[in-house]
Amino acid sequence: FANEGMQRFKEGKYEEAAASLQKALAEFRAPQYLLYIGRAYSKVGKLVEAFGDGLDQAAIRARLST
């Protein structure tokens, strides 16, 4: 999944990249997967998701809306 995700990222297919990298992350929690998931989400304007795994997304949305 990791190789597929990185290839999709290079191709500019950021939604697909994030999905593949999420699968890779489920198998092995590597920091670079989190980094590229965040980058992929930010490229498509999903800033809340880009902030990362395990954060309070409601709090992030509230903060971004101010």
Side-chain angles (χ1 to χ4, degrees):
F1 295 114
N3 290 336
E4 177 184 322
M6 293 307 298
Q7 183 61 38
R8 298 292 177 260
F9 189 90
K10 290 176 187 174
E11 294 169 353
K13 298 177 181 176
Y14 301 115
E15 294 270 3
E16 293 175 25
S20 292
L21 289 166
Q22 288 281 7
K23 291 176 185 175
L25 186 65
E27 292 180 356
F28 182 76
R29 196 150 176 91
Q32 62 268 33
Y33 299 165
L34 288 169
L35 174 68
Y36 276 92
I37 290 167
R39 287 181 178 176
Y41 281 136
S42 69
K43 292 279 191 180
V44 295
K46 293 186 174 182
L47 299 180
V48 173
E49 291 84 350
F51 276 101
D53 181 45
L55 297 177
D56 181 356
Q57 291 192 3
I60 294 169
R61 287 183 200 283
R63 178 73 179 193
L64 288 174
S65 68
T66 59

